[in-house]
Amino acid sequence: QLQLQESGPGLVKPSETLSLTCTVSGASISSSSYYWGWIRQPPGMGLEWIGIIYYSGRTYYNPSLKSRVTISVDTSKNQFSLKLSSVTAADTAVYYCATRKYSSFLLDFWGQGTLVSVSS
Amino acid sequence: QSVLTQPPSVSAAPGQKVTISCSGSSSNIGNNYVSWYQQLPGTAPKLLIYDNNKRPSGIPDRFSGSKSGTSATLGITGLQTGDEADYYCGTWDTSLSADVFGTGTKVTVL
């Protein structure tokens, strides 16, 4: 069974860079069937799609976050990562990693999520 | 600000039916498959419906999906207290070259 686990600091200072990693088990991150994605949810609010990456390195990002977001893949560790620069309090959220089918918008496996707070 | 609009909340008594609408445009729902997600309090979202009307294994047939034009609908029949959750639609937006989620709908069982 495919499983995902987010990891990273739970507290980031304003203006710094948020960095999270998602470790994949039960499947190869080099699979041609999936994109690997990040989604976030501010407290009490709805889901916001951040972006996705294919094992080849091809990425798609939310236009509203594109200037600050980088998603990368480490095939040797079967992990993918999120970096969000110049964070503010508005970036406080639960961050989820998920698998996204290559052929369709279909997020079938999710991590449990990790809360990242932005505060000095 | 999401490009997919859902009603903030719907409610019904146990055993009844609710429908949740998801309104978009030709650049998203009109030309791409829609999926639906259920988010129980304090948990990660869970896939309910994909490719407009397909259910993953393990999802009861009380949950159904449909699409017409630039709108999609999630139906829940035989409502149970365990169905109280937030529900989100989503799809690919061709103009944005990005996936998009709906605004979310809270289902309350009266």
Side-chain angles (χ1 to χ4, degrees), chain A residues 38-41 45-50 52 60-64 96 100 103-113, chain B residues 33-35 37 39 42-47 49-51 56 86 88-92 96-103:
Chain A
W38 290 96
I39 300 98
R40 72 179 183 178
Q41 185 171 36
M45 297 180 66
L47 300 173
E48 181 177 30
W49 184 84
I50 299 173
I52 53 176
Y60 295 94
Y61 295 136
N62 185 326
S64 68
Y96 296 100
R100 194 267 200 202
S103 56
S104 179
F105 178 74
L106 162 54
L107 302 165
D108 48 356
F109 295 97
W110 294 69
Q112 65 185 20
Chain B
Y33 286 119
V34 176
S35 56
Y37 302 84
Q39 187 176 31
T43 68
K46 172 184 174 183
L47 178 66
I49 297 287
Y50 67 98
D51 290 356
D86 295 319
Y88 296 89
C89 60
T91 187
W92 173 257
L96 297 175
S97 291
D99 290 328
V100 289
F101 284 107
T103 48

Side-chain angles (χ1 to χ4, degrees), chain A residues 83-104:
Chain A
K83 291 188 185 301
L84 181 65
S85 64
S86 305
V87 297
T88 69
D91 295 308
T92 293
V94 175
Y95 286 76
Y96 296 100
C97 59
T99 58
R100 194 267 200 202
K101 283 289 191 183
Y102 179 78
S103 56
S104 179

Side-chain angles (χ1 to χ4, degrees), chain A residues 7-8 10 25 30 36 43 47 51 57 61-62 67 73 80 89 100 110:
Chain A
S7 60
S25 58
S30 299
W36 307 93
L47 300 173
Y61 295 136
N62 185 326
S67 63
V73 166
F80 62 105
R100 194 267 200 202
W110 294 69

Side-chain angles (χ1 to χ4, degrees), chain B residues 13-90:
Chain B
Q16 297 301 302
K17 175 181 179 178
V18 295
T19 60
I20 301 170
S21 61
C22 177
S23 179
S25 69
S26 58
S27 68
N28 42 66
I29 291 177
N31 285 285
N32 296 289
Y33 286 119
V34 176
S35 56
W36 290 89
Y37 302 84
Q38 177 193 59
Q39 187 176 31
L40 297 170
T43 68
K46 172 184 174 183
L47 178 66
L48 272 186
I49 297 287
Y50 67 98
D51 290 356
N52 301 333
N53 56 18
K54 297 183 174 69
R55 283 177 286 106
S57 63
I59 301 300
D61 59 6
R62 300 187 299 107
F63 295 92
S64 64
S66 63
K67 189 182 95 168
S68 178
T70 59
S71 292
T73 301
L74 173 71
I76 310 174
T77 59
L79 204 59
Q80 302 175 1
T81 55
D83 297 331
E84 285 203 330
D86 295 319
Y87 293 81
Y88 296 89
C89 60

